[in-house]
Every structure is written in C-alpha cells, then in structure tokens.
Amino acid sequence: MREKASKLGSLVAHSELADIATKQRNKKKAMAHYKILAASGYSQDANDKLLKGYKQGDVSKEELASALRAYQSAREEFASRERCQMAMFMGCMSNDGILIR
C-alpha cells in the first residue's frame, strides 16, 4: 500500500518507506526516498539523512548537493506561496496577485 501511495506522490509514504528501508539496512532504497523527500522540501530530516549517507559513502557529493539545492528551491517556493496566501488573507492582495495598499 505504501509503495502505491509513494508512486502517486505521497510524501508521508516516502518517509515511511525510507524509515523501513533504513531499518532493513537497504541504504540504496532509503537514500532514494530521502532524495525525493529533500527535493520536495518535505523536511530537514531528509537532508540530515542524506548528509549521513554522504559521510558513510552511500550518497555522492553531487547527489547531496543536488538534493540540498532542490530542498532550498522547494522551501523558497513554499514560502513564496505562503506569503501570497497570507497577503490575500490579510486583505493586502487580490485573487489575481495585485497588491492592495
């Protein structure tokens, strides 16, 4: 069930599958799930796990750098959407994105 959910894009499923793979000592599978989680901006924990994987030789320097850049980009996008939603909520922005003064 989790595998199907992860294929449909469930980040919770990816997180659970990463934890299961880690417990089963399947580092390659765990790191694949952590890369997806990092790219989505899901949690800092995924980055921490990838850093640990890098230190243990399970993730290359390029893979780590790529995942960290993707995480940062996703978090910035999330923050931008969150700011727009808050501005609309506070009545400072119209639905079409125009600031109201």
Side-chain angles (χ1 to χ4, degrees):
M1 183 69 115
R2 287 184 186 102
E3 288 83 4
K4 187 173 186 177
S6 71
K7 288 179 184 175
L8 292 173
S10 169
L11 297 176
V12 172
H14 278 293
S15 180
E16 290 173 357
L17 288 169
D19 291 342
I20 290 168
T22 299
K23 289 176 186 168
Q24 294 173 342
R25 299 186 187 276
N26 188 340
K27 293 179 181 181
K28 185 176 180 179
K29 191 172 186 178
M31 292 301 129
H33 287 292
Y34 288 131
K35 287 178 201 173
I36 292 167
L37 291 167
S40 70
Y42 183 72
S43 73
Q44 179 61 41
D45 184 57
N47 290 341
D48 296 340
K49 299 286 172 81
L50 287 170
L51 181 59
K52 184 177 179 180
Y54 169 71
K55 290 178 180 178
Q56 295 175 346
D58 300 318
V59 175
S60 72
K61 185 176 184 177
E62 293 78 21
E63 289 172 317
L64 177 63
S66 176
L68 293 176
R69 282 192 301 272
Y71 175 82
Q72 184 64 33
S73 177
R75 296 304 296 174
E76 287 171 1
E77 173 65 25
F78 177 75
S80 177
R81 277 186 279 142
E82 202 172 54
R83 279 192 294 274
C84 286
Q85 288 172 345
M86 183 56 75
M88 286 179 11
F89 177 76
M90 298 297 289
C92 301
M93 183 182 291
S94 65
N95 287 339
D96 57 3
I98 299 171
L99 286 174
I100 301 168
R101 301 240 175 209

